[in-house]
Every structure is written in C-alpha cells, then in structure tokens.
Coordinates of all heavy atoms in Angstrom, one line a residue:
R13 N -3.2 -1.8 14.1 CA -2.7 -1.3 15.4 C -2.9 0.2 15.4 O -2.7 0.9 14.4 CB -1.3 -1.7 15.6 CG -1.1 -3.1 16.0 CD 0.3 -3.4 16.3 NE 1.0 -3.5 15.0 CZ 2.3 -3.7 14.9 NH1 3.1 -3.7 15.9 NH2 2.8 -3.8 13.7
E14 N -3.1 0.7 16.6 CA -3.1 2.1 16.8 C -1.7 2.7 16.7 O -0.7 2.0 16.9 CB -3.7 2.4 18.2 CG -5.2 2.0 18.4 CD -6.1 2.8 17.4 OE1 -5.9 4.0 17.2 OE2 -7.0 2.2 16.9
L15 N -1.7 4.0 16.3 CA -0.4 4.6 16.1 C 0.5 4.5 17.4 O 1.7 4.4 17.3 CB -0.5 6.1 15.7 CG -1.1 6.3 14.3 CD1 -1.3 7.8 14.1 CD2 -0.1 5.8 13.3
E16 N -0.2 4.7 18.6 CA 0.6 4.6 19.8 C 1.3 3.3 20.1 O 2.3 3.2 20.8 CB -0.3 5.0 21.0 CG -1.0 6.3 20.9 CD -2.2 6.4 20.0 OE1 -3.0 5.4 20.0 OE2 -2.4 7.4 19.3
E17 N 0.7 2.2 19.5 CA 1.2 0.9 19.8 C 2.4 0.5 18.9 O 3.1 -0.4 19.1 CB 0.1 -0.2 19.6 CG -1.0 -0.1 20.6 CD -2.1 -1.1 20.3 OE1 -1.8 -2.0 19.5 OE2 -3.2 -0.9 20.8
R18 N 2.5 1.3 17.8 CA 3.6 0.9 16.8 C 5.0 1.3 17.4 O 5.1 2.4 18.1 CB 3.4 1.6 15.5 CG 2.1 1.1 14.8 CD 2.1 1.6 13.4 NE 0.8 1.3 12.8 CZ 0.1 2.1 12.2 NH1 0.5 3.3 11.9 NH2 -1.1 1.7 11.7
R19 N 6.0 0.6 17.0 CA 7.3 0.9 17.5 C 7.8 2.1 16.7 O 7.4 2.4 15.6 CB 8.2 -0.3 17.4 CG 8.5 -0.7 15.9 CD 9.5 -1.9 15.9 NE 9.7 -2.4 14.6 CZ 10.4 -1.8 13.6 NH1 11.1 -0.7 13.9 NH2 10.5 -2.3 12.4
Q20 N 8.8 2.8 17.2 CA 9.4 3.9 16.5 C 10.2 3.4 15.3 O 10.9 2.4 15.5 CB 10.3 4.7 17.4 CG 9.7 5.7 18.4 CD 9.0 6.8 17.6 OE1 7.8 6.8 17.5 NE2 9.7 7.7 17.0
M21 N 10.1 4.0 14.2 CA 10.9 3.6 13.0 C 12.3 4.1 13.2 O 12.6 5.2 13.7 CB 10.3 4.2 11.8 CG 9.0 3.5 11.3 SD 8.2 4.1 9.8 CE 9.6 4.4 8.7
T22 N 13.2 3.2 12.9 CA 14.6 3.6 12.9 C 15.1 4.2 11.6 O 14.3 4.2 10.6 CB 15.5 2.3 13.2 OG1 15.4 1.5 12.0 CG2 15.1 1.6 14.4
I23 N 16.2 4.8 11.6 CA 16.8 5.3 10.3 C 16.9 4.2 9.3 O 16.6 4.4 8.1 CB 18.2 5.9 10.5 CG1 18.1 7.2 11.4 CG2 18.8 6.3 9.2 CD1 17.3 8.3 10.8
G24 N 17.2 3.0 9.7 CA 17.3 1.8 8.8 C 15.9 1.5 8.2 O 15.8 1.2 7.1
D25 N 14.9 1.5 9.1 CA 13.5 1.3 8.6 C 13.1 2.3 7.5 O 12.5 2.0 6.5 CB 12.5 1.4 9.8 CG 12.6 0.3 10.8 OD1 13.0 -0.8 10.4 OD2 12.1 0.5 11.9
I26 N 13.4 3.6 7.8 CA 13.1 4.6 6.8 C 13.8 4.4 5.5 O 13.2 4.6 4.4 CB 13.4 6.0 7.4 CG1 12.4 6.3 8.6 CG2 13.2 7.1 6.4 CD1 12.8 7.5 9.5
G27 N 15.1 4.1 5.6 CA 15.9 3.8 4.4 C 15.3 2.6 3.6 O 15.2 2.6 2.4
W28 N 15.0 1.5 4.4 CA 14.4 0.3 3.7 C 13.1 0.7 3.0 O 12.8 0.3 1.9 CB 14.1 -0.7 4.8 CG 13.5 -2.0 4.3 CD1 14.1 -3.0 3.7 CD2 12.1 -2.3 4.3 NE1 13.2 -4.0 3.3 CE2 11.9 -3.6 3.7 CE3 11.0 -1.6 4.8 CZ2 10.7 -4.2 3.5 CZ3 9.7 -2.2 4.6 CH2 9.6 -3.5 4.0
L29 N 12.2 1.4 3.7 CA 10.9 1.8 3.2 C 11.1 2.7 1.9 O 10.4 2.5 0.9 CB 10.1 2.6 4.2 CG 8.7 3.0 3.8 CD1 7.8 1.9 3.4 CD2 8.1 3.9 4.9
A30 N 12.0 3.6 2.0 CA 12.2 4.5 0.8 C 12.7 3.7 -0.4 O 12.2 3.9 -1.5 CB 13.3 5.5 1.1
G31 N 13.6 2.7 -0.2 CA 14.0 1.8 -1.3 C 12.9 1.0 -1.8 O 12.8 0.8 -3.1
I32 N 12.1 0.4 -1.0 CA 11.0 -0.4 -1.4 C 10.0 0.4 -2.2 O 9.6 -0.1 -3.3 CB 10.3 -1.1 -0.2 CG1 11.3 -2.1 0.5 CG2 9.0 -1.8 -0.6 CD1 11.8 -3.2 -0.4
I33 N 9.6 1.5 -1.7 CA 8.6 2.3 -2.5 C 9.2 2.8 -3.8 O 8.6 2.8 -4.8 CB 8.1 3.5 -1.6 CG1 7.3 2.9 -0.5 CG2 7.3 4.5 -2.5 CD1 6.8 4.0 0.5
D34 N 10.5 3.2 -3.8 CA 11.2 3.7 -5.0 C 11.3 2.6 -6.0 O 11.0 2.8 -7.2 CB 12.5 4.2 -4.7 CG 13.2 4.8 -5.9 OD1 12.6 5.6 -6.7 OD2 14.4 4.6 -6.1
G35 N 11.6 1.4 -5.6 CA 11.8 0.3 -6.5 C 10.6 -0.6 -6.9 O 10.5 -1.1 -8.0
E36 N 9.7 -0.7 -5.9 CA 8.6 -1.6 -6.1 C 7.2 -1.0 -5.9 O 6.2 -1.6 -6.1 CB 8.7 -2.8 -5.1 CG 10.0 -3.6 -5.2 CD 10.2 -4.3 -6.5 OE1 9.2 -4.7 -7.1 OE2 11.4 -4.5 -6.8
G37 N 7.2 0.3 -5.6 CA 6.0 0.9 -5.2 C 5.4 2.0 -6.1 O 6.0 2.3 -7.1
C38 N 4.3 2.6 -5.6 CA 3.7 3.6 -6.3 C 3.0 4.6 -5.3 O 2.4 4.1 -4.4 CB 2.6 3.0 -7.3 SG 1.6 4.2 -8.2
I39 N 3.1 5.9 -5.5 CA 2.4 6.9 -4.8 C 1.5 7.6 -5.8 O 2.0 8.1 -6.8 CB 3.4 7.9 -4.1 CG1 4.3 7.1 -3.1 CG2 2.6 9.0 -3.4 CD1 5.4 7.9 -2.5
S40 N 0.2 7.7 -5.5 CA -0.7 8.3 -6.4 C -1.8 9.1 -5.7 O -2.0 8.9 -4.5 CB -1.4 7.2 -7.3 OG -2.1 6.4 -6.5
V41 N -2.3 10.1 -6.4 CA -3.4 10.9 -6.0 C -4.5 10.7 -7.0 O -4.3 10.9 -8.2 CB -3.1 12.4 -5.8 CG1 -4.3 13.2 -5.4 CG2 -1.9 12.5 -4.8
T42 N -5.7 10.3 -6.6 CA -6.8 10.0 -7.4 C -8.0 10.9 -7.1 O -8.3 11.0 -5.9 CB -7.2 8.5 -7.3 OG1 -6.1 7.7 -7.5 CG2 -8.3 8.2 -8.3
K43 N -8.7 11.4 -8.1 CA -9.9 12.2 -7.8 C -11.1 11.2 -7.8 O -11.3 10.4 -8.7 CB -10.1 13.2 -8.9 CG -11.4 14.1 -8.6 CD -11.5 15.2 -9.5 CE -12.7 16.1 -9.1 NZ -12.8 17.3 -10.0
K44 N -11.8 11.3 -6.7 CA -13.0 10.4 -6.5 C -14.2 11.4 -6.7 O -14.3 12.4 -6.1 CB -13.1 9.8 -5.2 CG -11.9 8.9 -4.9 CD -11.9 7.6 -5.7 CE -10.8 6.7 -5.3 NZ -10.8 5.5 -6.0
R45 N -15.2 11.0 -7.4 CA -16.4 11.8 -7.6 C -17.5 11.4 -6.5 O -17.7 10.2 -6.2 CB -17.0 11.6 -8.9 CG -16.1 12.1 -10.0 CD -16.7 12.1 -11.3 NE -15.8 12.7 -12.3 CZ -15.9 12.5 -13.6 NH1 -16.8 11.8 -14.1 NH2 -15.0 13.1 -14.4
T46 N -18.1 12.4 -6.0 CA -19.2 12.1 -5.0 C -20.5 11.8 -5.6 O -21.3 11.1 -5.0 CB -19.3 13.3 -4.0 OG1 -19.6 14.5 -4.8 CG2 -18.1 13.5 -3.2
Y47 N -20.7 12.3 -6.8 CA -21.9 12.0 -7.6 C -21.6 11.6 -9.0 O -20.6 12.1 -9.6 CB -22.9 13.2 -7.6 CG -23.3 13.7 -6.3 CD1 -22.6 14.8 -5.7 CD2 -24.2 13.0 -5.5 CE1 -23.0 15.3 -4.4 CE2 -24.6 13.5 -4.2 CZ -23.9 14.6 -3.7 OH -24.3 15.0 -2.5
K48 N -22.3 10.7 -9.6 CA -22.1 10.3 -11.0 C -22.2 11.4 -11.9 O -23.1 12.3 -11.7 CB -23.0 9.1 -11.4 CG -22.7 7.8 -10.7 CD -23.7 6.7 -11.3 CE -23.3 5.4 -10.6 NZ -24.2 4.3 -11.2
N49 N -21.4 11.5 -12.9 CA -21.4 12.5 -14.0 C -21.4 13.9 -13.5 O -21.9 14.8 -14.0 CB -22.7 12.3 -14.8 CG -22.8 10.9 -15.4 OD1 -21.8 10.4 -15.9 ND2 -24.0 10.3 -15.4
T50 N -20.6 14.1 -12.4 CA -20.4 15.5 -11.9 C -18.9 15.7 -11.7 O -18.1 14.8 -11.7 CB -21.1 15.8 -10.5 OG1 -20.4 15.0 -9.5 CG2 -22.5 15.5 -10.6
T51 N -18.5 16.9 -11.6 CA -17.1 17.2 -11.3 C -16.9 17.4 -9.8 O -15.7 17.6 -9.4 CB -16.7 18.5 -12.1 OG1 -17.5 19.6 -11.6 CG2 -16.7 18.3 -13.5
I52 N -17.9 17.3 -9.0 CA -17.8 17.5 -7.5 C -17.1 16.2 -7.0 O -17.5 15.1 -7.3 CB -19.1 17.7 -6.9 CG1 -19.8 18.9 -7.4 CG2 -19.0 17.7 -5.4 CD1 -21.2 19.1 -7.0
G53 N -16.1 16.4 -6.2 CA -15.4 15.2 -5.7 C -14.3 15.6 -4.7 O -14.3 16.7 -4.2
Y54 N -13.4 14.7 -4.4 CA -12.3 14.9 -3.5 C -11.2 14.0 -4.0 O -11.3 13.2 -4.8 CB -12.8 14.5 -2.1 CG -13.3 13.0 -2.0 CD1 -12.4 12.0 -1.6 CD2 -14.6 12.7 -2.3 CE1 -12.9 10.7 -1.5 CE2 -15.0 11.4 -2.2 CZ -14.2 10.4 -1.8 OH -14.6 9.1 -1.7
Y55 N -10.0 14.3 -3.4 CA -8.8 13.6 -3.8 C -8.3 12.6 -2.7 O -8.5 12.9 -1.5 CB -7.7 14.6 -4.1 CG -8.0 15.4 -5.3 CD1 -8.7 16.6 -5.2 CD2 -7.6 15.0 -6.6 CE1 -9.0 17.4 -6.3 CE2 -7.9 15.8 -7.7 CZ -8.6 17.0 -7.5 OH -8.9 17.7 -8.6
V56 N -7.8 11.5 -3.1 CA -7.3 10.4 -2.2 C -5.9 10.1 -2.5 O -5.5 9.8 -3.7 CB -8.2 9.2 -2.3 CG1 -7.7 8.1 -1.4 CG2 -9.6 9.5 -1.9
L57 N -5.0 10.2 -1.5 CA -3.6 9.7 -1.6 C -3.6 8.2 -1.3 O -4.2 7.8 -0.4 CB -2.8 10.5 -0.6 CG -1.3 10.1 -0.4 CD1 -0.6 10.4 -1.7 CD2 -0.7 10.7 0.8
S58 N -2.8 7.5 -2.1 CA -2.6 6.1 -1.8 C -1.1 5.7 -2.1 O -0.4 6.3 -3.0 CB -3.5 5.2 -2.6 OG -3.3 5.4 -4.0
V59 N -0.6 4.8 -1.3 CA 0.7 4.2 -1.5 C 0.5 2.7 -1.6 O -0.2 2.1 -0.8 CB 1.6 4.5 -0.2 CG1 3.0 4.0 -0.3 CG2 1.6 6.0 0.1
S60 N 1.2 2.1 -2.6 CA 1.1 0.7 -2.8 C 2.5 0.1 -3.1 O 3.3 0.8 -3.7 CB 0.1 0.3 -3.8 OG 0.5 0.8 -5.1
V61 N 2.6 -1.2 -2.8 CA 3.8 -1.9 -3.2 C 3.3 -3.3 -3.6 O 2.5 -3.9 -3.0 CB 4.8 -2.1 -2.0 CG1 5.9 -3.0 -2.3 CG2 5.3 -0.7 -1.5
A62 N 3.8 -3.8 -4.8 CA 3.5 -5.1 -5.3 C 4.8 -5.9 -5.4 O 5.8 -5.4 -5.9 CB 2.8 -5.0 -6.6
N63 N 4.8 -7.1 -4.9 CA 6.0 -8.0 -5.0 C 5.6 -9.4 -4.8 O 4.6 -9.8 -4.2 CB 7.0 -7.5 -3.9 CG 8.4 -7.9 -4.2 OD1 8.7 -9.1 -3.9 ND2 9.2 -7.0 -4.7
T64 N 6.5 -10.3 -5.2 CA 6.3 -11.7 -5.1 C 6.8 -12.2 -3.7 O 6.6 -13.4 -3.3 CB 7.0 -12.6 -6.2 OG1 8.4 -12.2 -6.1 CG2 6.5 -12.2 -7.5
D65 N 7.5 -11.4 -3.0 CA 8.1 -11.7 -1.7 C 7.0 -11.4 -0.6 O 6.8 -10.2 -0.2 CB 9.3 -10.9 -1.4 CG 10.0 -11.3 -0.1 OD1 9.5 -12.1 0.7 OD2 11.1 -10.7 0.2
E66 N 6.3 -12.4 -0.1 CA 5.3 -12.2 0.9 C 5.9 -11.6 2.2 O 5.2 -10.8 2.9 CB 4.6 -13.5 1.2 CG 3.4 -13.4 2.1 CD 2.7 -14.7 2.4 OE1 3.2 -15.8 2.0 OE2 1.6 -14.7 2.9
A67 N 7.1 -12.0 2.6 CA 7.7 -11.5 3.8 C 7.8 -9.9 3.7 O 7.6 -9.2 4.7 CB 9.0 -12.1 4.0
M68 N 8.2 -9.4 2.6 CA 8.3 -7.9 2.4 C 6.9 -7.3 2.6 O 6.8 -6.3 3.4 CB 8.8 -7.6 1.0 CG 8.8 -6.1 0.7 SD 8.9 -5.7 -1.0 CE 10.5 -6.4 -1.4
I69 N 5.9 -7.9 2.1 CA 4.5 -7.3 2.2 C 4.1 -7.4 3.7 O 3.5 -6.5 4.2 CB 3.6 -8.0 1.3 CG1 4.0 -7.9 -0.2 CG2 2.1 -7.6 1.5 CD1 4.1 -6.5 -0.7
N70 N 4.4 -8.5 4.3 CA 4.1 -8.7 5.8 C 4.8 -7.6 6.6 O 4.2 -7.2 7.6 CB 4.4 -10.1 6.2 CG 3.4 -11.1 5.7 OD1 2.3 -10.8 5.3 ND2 3.8 -12.3 5.6
K71 N 6.0 -7.3 6.3 CA 6.7 -6.3 7.1 C 6.0 -4.9 6.9 O 5.9 -4.2 7.9 CB 8.2 -6.2 6.6 CG 9.0 -5.2 7.4 CD 10.5 -5.2 7.1 CE 11.2 -4.2 7.9 NZ 12.6 -4.2 7.7
L72 N 5.5 -4.6 5.7 CA 4.8 -3.4 5.5 C 3.5 -3.3 6.3 O 3.2 -2.3 6.9 CB 4.5 -3.2 4.0 CG 5.7 -2.8 3.1 CD1 5.3 -3.0 1.7 CD2 6.2 -1.4 3.4
V73 N 2.8 -4.5 6.4 CA 1.6 -4.6 7.2 C 1.9 -4.4 8.7 O 1.2 -3.7 9.4 CB 0.9 -5.9 6.9 CG1 -0.2 -6.1 7.9 CG2 0.4 -6.0 5.5
D74 N 3.0 -5.0 9.1 CA 3.4 -4.9 10.5 C 3.8 -3.4 10.9 O 3.5 -2.9 12.0 CB 4.7 -5.7 10.8 CG 4.3 -7.2 10.9 OD1 3.1 -7.6 11.0 OD2 5.3 -8.0 10.8
M75 N 4.3 -2.7 9.9 CA 4.7 -1.3 10.2 C 3.6 -0.3 10.1 O 3.5 0.6 10.8 CB 5.9 -0.9 9.2 CG 7.2 -1.6 9.4 SD 8.4 -1.3 8.1 CE 9.0 0.2 8.6
F76 N 2.7 -0.6 9.1 CA 1.6 0.5 8.8 C 0.2 0.0 8.7 O -0.7 0.8 8.4 CB 2.0 1.1 7.5 CG 3.3 1.7 7.4 CD1 4.4 1.1 6.8 CD2 3.5 2.9 8.1 CE1 5.6 1.7 6.8 CE2 4.8 3.5 8.1 CZ 5.8 2.9 7.4
N77 N -0.1 -1.3 8.9 CA -1.4 -1.9 8.6 C -1.6 -1.8 7.1 O -0.7 -2.1 6.3 CB -2.5 -1.3 9.4 CG -2.4 -1.6 10.8 OD1 -1.9 -2.6 11.2 ND2 -2.9 -0.7 11.7
G78 N -2.8 -1.5 6.7 CA -3.2 -1.4 5.2 C -3.9 -2.6 4.8 O -4.2 -3.5 5.6
C79 N -4.1 -2.7 3.5 CA -4.8 -3.9 2.9 C -3.8 -4.7 2.0 O -2.9 -4.1 1.4 CB -5.9 -3.4 2.0 SG -7.2 -2.5 2.9
V80 N -4.0 -6.0 2.0 CA -3.1 -6.8 1.1 C -4.0 -7.6 0.2 O -5.1 -8.2 0.6 CB -2.3 -7.8 2.0 CG1 -1.5 -8.8 1.1 CG2 -1.4 -7.0 2.9
F81 N -3.6 -7.7 -1.1 CA -4.4 -8.4 -2.1 C -3.4 -9.4 -2.7 O -2.3 -9.1 -3.0 CB -4.9 -7.5 -3.2 CG -5.7 -6.4 -2.6 CD1 -5.2 -5.2 -2.3 CD2 -7.1 -6.5 -2.4 CE1 -5.9 -4.1 -1.8 CE2 -7.8 -5.5 -1.9 CZ -7.3 -4.3 -1.6
L82 N -3.9 -10.6 -3.0 CA -3.1 -11.6 -3.6 C -3.5 -11.7 -5.1 O -4.7 -11.9 -5.3 CB -3.2 -13.0 -3.0 CG -2.5 -14.2 -3.7 CD1 -1.0 -14.0 -3.8 CD2 -2.8 -15.5 -2.9
K83 N -2.6 -11.6 -6.0 CA -3.0 -11.7 -7.4 C -2.4 -13.0 -7.9 O -1.2 -13.3 -8.0 CB -2.3 -10.6 -8.2 CG -2.5 -10.7 -9.7 CD -3.9 -10.5 -10.2 CE -3.9 -10.5 -11.7 NZ -5.2 -10.5 -12.3
K84 N -3.3 -14.0 -8.3 CA -2.9 -15.3 -8.8 C -2.6 -15.1 -10.3 O -3.3 -14.4 -11.0 CB -4.1 -16.3 -8.7 CG -4.4 -16.6 -7.2 CD -3.3 -17.6 -6.7 CE -3.8 -18.2 -5.4 NZ -2.9 -19.2 -5.0
R85 N -1.5 -15.7 -10.7 CA -1.1 -15.6 -12.1 C -1.1 -17.0 -12.8 O -1.0 -18.0 -12.1 CB 0.4 -15.1 -12.2 CG 0.6 -13.8 -11.5 CD -0.2 -12.7 -12.0 NE 0.2 -12.2 -13.3 CZ 1.0 -11.1 -13.5 NH1 1.4 -10.4 -12.5 NH2 1.3 -10.8 -14.7
N86 N -1.3 -17.0 -14.1 CA -1.3 -18.3 -14.8 C 0.0 -18.5 -15.5 O 0.8 -17.6 -15.7 CB -2.4 -18.2 -15.9 CG -3.8 -18.1 -15.4 OD1 -4.1 -18.6 -14.3 ND2 -4.6 -17.3 -16.0
G87 N 0.3 -19.8 -15.8 CA 1.5 -20.1 -16.5 C 2.7 -20.0 -15.6 O 2.7 -20.4 -14.5
K88 N 3.8 -19.5 -16.2 CA 5.1 -19.4 -15.6 C 5.2 -18.2 -14.7 O 6.2 -18.1 -13.9 CB 6.2 -19.5 -16.6 CG 6.3 -20.8 -17.4 CD 7.4 -20.8 -18.3 CE 7.5 -22.1 -19.1 NZ 8.5 -22.1 -20.1
R89 N 4.3 -17.3 -14.8 CA 4.4 -16.1 -14.0 C 4.0 -16.3 -12.5 O 3.1 -17.0 -12.2 CB 3.5 -15.0 -14.6 CG 4.0 -14.7 -16.0 CD 3.1 -13.6 -16.6 NE 3.5 -12.3 -16.0 CZ 3.0 -11.2 -16.3 NH1 2.0 -11.1 -17.3 NH2 3.4 -10.1 -15.8
K90 N 4.8 -15.7 -11.6 CA 4.6 -15.9 -10.2 C 3.4 -15.1 -9.7 O 3.1 -14.0 -10.2 CB 5.8 -15.5 -9.4 CG 7.0 -16.3 -9.5 CD 8.1 -15.8 -8.6 CE 9.3 -16.7 -8.6 NZ 10.3 -16.2 -7.6
D91 N 2.7 -15.7 -8.7 CA 1.7 -14.9 -7.9 C 2.4 -13.8 -7.2 O 3.6 -13.8 -6.9 CB 1.0 -15.8 -6.9 CG 0.2 -17.0 -7.5 OD1 0.0 -17.0 -8.7 OD2 -0.1 -17.9 -6.7
F92 N 1.7 -12.7 -7.0 CA 2.2 -11.6 -6.2 C 1.2 -11.0 -5.3 O 0.0 -11.1 -5.4 CB 2.9 -10.5 -7.1 CG 1.9 -9.7 -7.9 CD1 1.3 -8.5 -7.4 CD2 1.5 -10.1 -9.2 CE1 0.4 -7.8 -8.1 CE2 0.6 -9.3 -10.0 CZ 0.1 -8.2 -9.4
W93 N 1.8 -10.3 -4.3 CA 1.0 -9.6 -3.3 C 1.1 -8.1 -3.5 O 2.1 -7.6 -3.9 CB 1.5 -9.9 -1.9 CG 1.2 -11.3 -1.4 CD1 0.1 -11.7 -0.7 CD2 1.9 -12.5 -1.7 NE1 0.1 -13.1 -0.5 CE2 1.2 -13.6 -1.1 CE3 3.1 -12.7 -2.4 CZ2 1.7 -14.9 -1.2 CZ3 3.6 -14.0 -2.5 CH2 2.9 -15.1 -1.9
R94 N 0.0 -7.4 -3.2 CA 0.0 -6.0 -3.3 C -0.5 -5.4 -2.0 O -1.6 -5.7 -1.5 CB -0.9 -5.5 -4.5 CG -0.8 -3.9 -4.6 CD -1.6 -3.5 -5.9 NE -3.0 -3.9 -5.9 CZ -4.0 -3.1 -5.4 NH1 -3.7 -2.0 -4.8 NH2 -5.2 -3.6 -5.5
W95 N 0.3 -4.6 -1.4 CA -0.1 -3.9 -0.2 C -0.5 -2.5 -0.5 O 0.1 -1.8 -1.4 CB 1.2 -3.8 0.8 CG 1.0 -2.9 1.9 CD1 0.4 -3.1 3.1 CD2 1.6 -1.6 2.0 NE1 0.5 -2.1 3.9 CE2 1.2 -1.1 3.3 CE3 2.3 -0.8 1.1 CZ2 1.6 0.2 3.7 CZ3 2.7 0.5 1.6 CH2 2.3 0.9 2.8
E96 N -1.5 -2.0 0.1 CA -2.0 -0.6 -0.2 C -2.4 0.1 1.1 O -3.1 -0.5 2.0 CB -3.2 -0.7 -1.2 CG -3.6 0.7 -1.6 CD -4.7 0.6 -2.7 OE1 -4.5 -0.1 -3.7 OE2 -5.8 1.1 -2.4
L97 N -2.1 1.4 1.1 CA -2.5 2.2 2.2 C -3.1 3.5 1.5 O -2.5 4.0 0.6 CB -1.3 2.6 3.1 CG -1.5 3.1 4.4 CD1 -2.3 2.2 5.3 CD2 -0.1 3.4 5.1
S98 N -4.3 3.9 2.0 CA -4.8 5.1 1.3 C -5.6 6.0 2.3 O -5.8 5.6 3.5 CB -5.8 4.7 0.2 OG -6.9 3.9 0.7
G99 N -5.9 7.2 1.8 CA -6.6 8.2 2.6 C -5.7 8.8 3.7 O -4.5 8.9 3.5
K100 N -6.2 9.0 4.9 CA -5.5 9.7 6.0 C -4.3 8.8 6.4 O -3.3 9.3 6.9 CB -6.4 10.0 7.1 CG -7.4 11.1 6.8 CD -8.3 11.4 8.0 CE -9.2 12.5 7.7 NZ -10.1 12.7 8.8
S101 N -4.5 7.5 6.3 CA -3.4 6.5 6.8 C -2.2 6.7 5.9 O -1.1 6.5 6.4 CB -3.9 5.1 6.7 OG -5.0 4.9 7.5
A102 N -2.4 7.0 4.6 CA -1.2 7.1 3.7 C -0.5 8.4 4.0 O 0.7 8.5 3.9 CB -1.7 7.2 2.3

C-alpha cells in the first residue's frame, strides 16, 4: 500500500512494534558491492522479524508491506516466517 493509504500508528502500535523488533527482530546495515572484487558500493538498511506466529508477521505486513519468507523445518522444530523490509522502505 502507498504511505497515504496506511492508517496512523497509535502509541500502542509503536510500543508493540518496538517490543517485537527488540525481542524477535534484527536491524542491520549491509554493504553491497556494485562490481565484483571492488570496494565500490553502497549501504542498505534492513529490518527483519522471524517468528512461528503467522498472525504477528501478517500484522507487520499490514502495517509496512515488505517481504515474507516461510522457512520449513525438519523434525520437531516448527516452521517459521520471516518478514523483511529493506532500503528506503526500512
């Protein structure tokens, strides 16, 4: 959705988001190279959250869009979803 279409975040939304990112998320800056074997490049900010609770991930998508990936696990370990937002959107 376009930024204009999104609803205003409440103080509760901001608190929820801060807790989710602090407990389940990651904020990172990565250097991307524009050419192989050179030091020329640029930096990309990304925010991600991984969790087994699909509803949590869907709420993040509703609030900010982004990409969602499903990681299938073997054995007794649960599958989990990872939401990611990067670049200017982050």
Side-chain angles (χ1 to χ4, degrees):
R13 284 182 281 179
E14 294 297 321
L15 289 175
E16 299 83 36
E17 294 178 17
R18 293 191 190 135
R19 66 176 175 79
Q20 280 295 109
M21 286 182 38
T22 66
I23 295 295
D25 290 336
I26 294 168
W28 177 84
L29 179 62
I32 294 302
I33 291 174
D34 184 44
E36 305 292 333
C38 176
I39 299 172
S40 62
V41 176
T42 307
K43 184 173 184 179
K44 302 288 185 179
R45 294 187 178 163
T46 53
Y47 302 101
K48 288 185 180 181
N49 302 321
T50 69
T51 58
I52 299 170
Y54 57 96
Y55 293 90
V56 176
L57 173 69
S58 60
V59 179
S60 64
V61 173
N63 201 280
T64 59
D65 182 0
E66 186 179 11
M68 175 194 300
I69 300 301
N70 288 337
K71 183 173 180 178
L72 290 165
V73 171
D74 288 343
M75 293 171 82
F76 301 103
N77 291 332
C79 297
V80 175
F81 306 93
L82 173 61
K83 173 69 175 174
K84 293 283 194 173
R85 305 300 287 260
N86 294 327
K88 295 181 181 180
R89 299 181 75 178
K90 288 184 176 182
D91 297 346
F92 69 89
W93 288 265
R94 184 172 59 87
W95 167 81
E96 185 175 305
L97 196 61
S98 61
K100 291 180 181 180
S101 299

